């Protein structure tokens, strides 16, 4: 029998070491055989701290070369540990069973996998998470994956866990399933055929239980983003997007904001992957069209006016998420519902609140490509953007065009609104017509070229970034060989070029301080 006082002391010494040697690990297990350690822990005579020391020591012992060799023989003890009263011992059991899986026979693997699936339901979150981690690792092999999704293997038990009444356990199991699907194209297709993705679909469309639905949305977004490749992200996104479209039609004001954001995020994932594989913007925009109509209903200026500020902000944020991708921006700009008109109306015209205005300005800036490596979209999309910007400004209380509205925002004392306006001015300044519009307004041009108009570090940096965009567009337009195009913009930028160059030469903070190299922008002229 193990001497109870000596076991915690020896375990403490092992636990405090970096990693025991093979000799030390062998000596520990020789002095304290597993069967006796397990008996001691199950009797509950050790303090919780001592139990933690013993579990930590065993984990280190089985991490040595000697310990790894003992794992297959230790499997029965690890299985028995899953039923121990100590959560620390149950966690250790999950960890060691996961480590033993590659070294045991196929029959033993199925038995261990079944036990770990059962451990997903453990009332201790740490135990459930360790079981999920072990199963995730097991499922990364072809044999393990087949075992976990097969009704003849652990798949039947996994299906039962997915259908249990505990929402926390269900989400843990769903996360495991989605993680399994994020490993290869074949695994995604196999999961679709197995029916194991249906529980998540059920959770996503369960509008009667908003909290569960919100948890499912968050889990879906996280798991898709963590998939091992953009192709896998696209497969998962395209599978779930039709169900999200259904959710958007049914969701209430609690669920709808997050549903829009997740649907837009998944659409952006699908757009990015499709653009990469097809290099055709028209094809890549197809996934995006599934959510734009639902967002339009929330933002529709001429439609119902019964959506909250939070819902409108969420809708605009969703468009921002989608507009970060070039294909997504094109889908927004060219969608028949003309949602871009609603965005510009709220950004440059009249919005129900300042919060909506701010979100709309940021959304418009993102759609216009404020941070995209390629701000330029197709010719038709560029025309749609230009028309929407001028239409939105025409609805403003500020007299004049877009430049008047931008200057009005930049003269406000609110830093967050000024930053949003600079982002929008930067994106529009990459277009010849946008640069011409801003340079034609003396007050706005003076504001952008004068480093003293901003005092905060962030404000100075955004102002200078906008000025760099104007400088890039000026160079592009003036160096273009086709002098018949953008005649008006050419004349305006020719006259403004010295002022812009002087502003650039003064740097970010004035007097040449903090001067950065002119950024390389992809400029969109009317020839695009």
């Amino acid at each position: 029998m193990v001497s109870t006082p000596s076991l915690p002391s020896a375990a403490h010494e092992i636990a405090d070491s970096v990693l025991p040697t093979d000799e030390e690990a062998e000596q520990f297990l020789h002095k304290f055989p597993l069967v006796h350690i397990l008996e001691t822990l199950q009797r509950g005579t050790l303090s919780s701290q001592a139990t933690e020391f013993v579990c930590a020591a065993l984990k280190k012992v089985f991490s040595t070369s000697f310990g790894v060799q003992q794992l297959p023989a230790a499997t029965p003890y690890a299985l028995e540990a899953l039923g121990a009263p100590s959560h620390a011992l149950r966690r250790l059991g999950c960890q060691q069973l996961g480590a033993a899986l590659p070294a045991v026979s196929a029959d033993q693997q199925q038995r261990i996998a079944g036990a770990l699936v059962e451990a997903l339901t453990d009332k201790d979150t740490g135990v459930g998470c360790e079981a999920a981690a072990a199963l995730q690792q097991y499922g990364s092999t072809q044999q393990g994956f087949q075992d976990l999704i097969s009704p003849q293997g652990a798949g039947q038990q996994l299906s039962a866990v997915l259908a249990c009444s505990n929402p926390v356990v269900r989400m843990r199991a769903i996360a495991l399933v989605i993680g399994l699907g994020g490993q290869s194209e074949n695994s995604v297709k196999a999961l679709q055929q197995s029916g194991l993705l249906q529980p998540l679909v059920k959770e996503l469309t369960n509008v009667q239980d908003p909290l569960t639905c919100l948890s499912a949305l968050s889990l879906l977004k996280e798991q898709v983003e963590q998939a091992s490749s953009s192709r896998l992200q696209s497969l998962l996104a395209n599978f779930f997007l039709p169900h999200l479209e259904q959710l958007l039609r049914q969701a209430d004001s609690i669920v709808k904001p997050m549903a829009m954001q997740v649907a837009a995020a998944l659409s952006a994932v699908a757009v990015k992957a499709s653009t990469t594989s097809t290099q055709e913007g028209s094809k890549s925009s197809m996934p995006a069209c599934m959510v734009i109509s639902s967002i339009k209903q929330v933002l529709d200026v001429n439609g119902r006016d019964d959506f909250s500020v939070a819902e409108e902000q969420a809708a605009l944020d969703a468009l921002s998420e989608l507009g970060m991708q070039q294909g997504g921006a094109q889908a927004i700009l060219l969608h028949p519902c003309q949602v871009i008109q609603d965005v510009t109306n709220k950004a440059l015209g009249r919005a129900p609140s300042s919060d909506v205005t701010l979100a709309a300005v940021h959304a418009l800036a993102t759609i216009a490509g404020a941070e995209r490596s390629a701000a330029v979209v197709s010719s038709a999309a560029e025309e749609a953007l230009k028309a929407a910007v001028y239409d939105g400004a025409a609805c403003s209380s500020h007299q004049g065009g877009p430049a008047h509205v931008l200057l009005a925002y930049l003269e406000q004392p609110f830093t967050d609104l000024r930053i949003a306006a600079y982002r929008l001015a930067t994106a529009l300044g990459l277009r010849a017509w946008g640069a011409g519009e801003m340079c034609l307004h003396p007050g706005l041009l003076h504001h952008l070229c004068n480093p003293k108009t901003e005092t905060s570090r962030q404000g100075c940096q955004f102002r200078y970034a906008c000025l760099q965009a104007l400088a890039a567009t000026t160079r592009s337009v003036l160096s273009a060989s086709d002098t018949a195009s953008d005649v008006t913009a050419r004349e305006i930028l020719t006259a403004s070029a010295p002022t812009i160059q002087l502003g650039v030469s003064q740097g970010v903070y004035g007097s040449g301080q903090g001067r950065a190299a002119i950024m390389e922008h992809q400029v969109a002229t009317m020839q695009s």
Side-chain angles (χ1 to χ4, degrees), residues 487-504:
V487 174
T488 303
R490 175 182 288 273
E491 293 175 352
I492 296 171
L493 294 179
T494 298
S496 305
T499 303
I500 294 172
Q501 186 55 45
L502 177 61
V504 169

Side-chain angles (χ1 to χ4, degrees), residues 343-366:
V343 176
T344 56
N345 186 289
K346 295 177 189 298
L348 303 173
R350 301 176 185 273
S353 75
S354 57
D355 289 335
V356 172
T357 296
L358 180 63
V361 175
H362 275 302
L364 183 55
T366 301

Side-chain angles (χ1 to χ4, degrees), residues 303-513:
R304 296 178 300 162
D305 192 25
D306 55 357
F307 292 98
S308 67
V309 168
E311 287 176 283
E312 291 205 23
Q313 284 181 285
L316 291 162
D317 290 343
L319 288 178
S320 290
E321 181 90 35
L322 186 54
M324 291 170 117
Q325 300 297 326
Q326 189 178 46
Q330 290 199 164
I332 294 169
L333 291 166
L334 297 177
H335 198 283
C337 73
Q338 296 186 317
V339 69
I340 189 62
Q341 294 282 353
D342 303 299
V343 176
T344 56
N345 186 289
K346 295 177 189 298
L348 303 173
R350 301 176 185 273
S353 75
S354 57
D355 289 335
V356 172
T357 296
L358 180 63
V361 175
H362 275 302
L364 183 55
T366 301
I367 294 166
E371 282 84 33
R372 283 199 309 269
S373 58
V376 186
V377 286
S378 67
S379 296
E382 285 291 333
E383 290 293 345
L385 174 64
K386 179 179 179 181
V389 166
Y390 279 100
D391 287 347
C395 299
S396 172
S397 58
H398 305 286
Q399 297 297 317
H404 290 74
V405 180
L406 287 171
L407 180 60
Y409 290 165
L410 292 174
E411 289 178 337
Q412 294 293 317
F414 312 112
T415 303
D416 52 356
L417 179 58
R418 296 201 311 277
I419 297 304
Y422 282 126
R423 288 186 66 239
L424 177 55
T426 298
L428 296 182
L430 293 174
R431 279 90 181 159
W433 61 266
E437 166 72 22
M438 288 190 282
C439 290
L440 192 60
H441 192 294
L444 178 58
L445 183 60
H446 173 76
H447 183 99
L448 295 174
C449 294
N450 183 4
K452 295 182 179 179
T453 54
E454 284 291 341
T455 55
S456 71
R457 179 186 179 88
Q458 190 179 28
C460 289
Q461 291 172 342
F462 273 92
R463 178 199 66 81
Y464 195 70
C466 179
L467 191 57
Q468 287 180 305
L470 285 179
T473 304
T474 300
R475 291 198 312 275
S476 175
V477 171
L478 298 187
S479 63
S481 58
D482 184 2
T483 57
S485 300
D486 295 328
V487 174
T488 303
R490 175 182 288 273
E491 293 175 352
I492 296 171
L493 294 179
T494 298
S496 305
T499 303
I500 294 172
Q501 186 55 45
L502 177 61
V504 169
S505 68
Q506 294 183 78
V508 180
Y509 308 107
S511 301
Q513 296 178 7

Side-chain angles (χ1 to χ4, degrees), residues 247-266:
L247 173 62
L248 286 170
R249 290 196 299 266
Q250 301 173 345
D252 59 14
S253 59
I254 297 175
V255 173
K256 195 180 212 59
M258 188 169 185
M260 285 188 292
Q261 291 180 31
V262 174
L266 264 63

Side-chain angles (χ1 to χ4, degrees), residues 264-280:
L266 264 63
S267 294
V269 164
V271 163
K272 182 178 180 181
S274 182
T275 302
T276 301
S277 61
T278 66
Q279 296 299 317
E280 296 179 27

Side-chain angles (χ1 to χ4, degrees), residues 161-175 196-220 240 243-244 247 250 255:
V161 174
L162 287 165
C164 76
S165 60
N166 188 325
V168 175
V169 172
R170 288 202 309 273
M171 287 298 152
R172 186 180 298 149
I174 287 172
L196 290 176
L197 291 176
Q198 292 308 310
L200 179 53
V201 171
K202 183 179 178 181
E203 302 282 8
L204 286 171
T205 54
N206 183 14
V207 293
Q208 304 304 319
D209 186 352
L211 292 180
T212 298
C213 188
L214 289 170
S215 296
L217 285 166
S218 178
L219 175 64
L220 174 60
F240 285 106
H243 303 292
L244 290 176
L247 173 62
Q250 301 173 345
V255 173

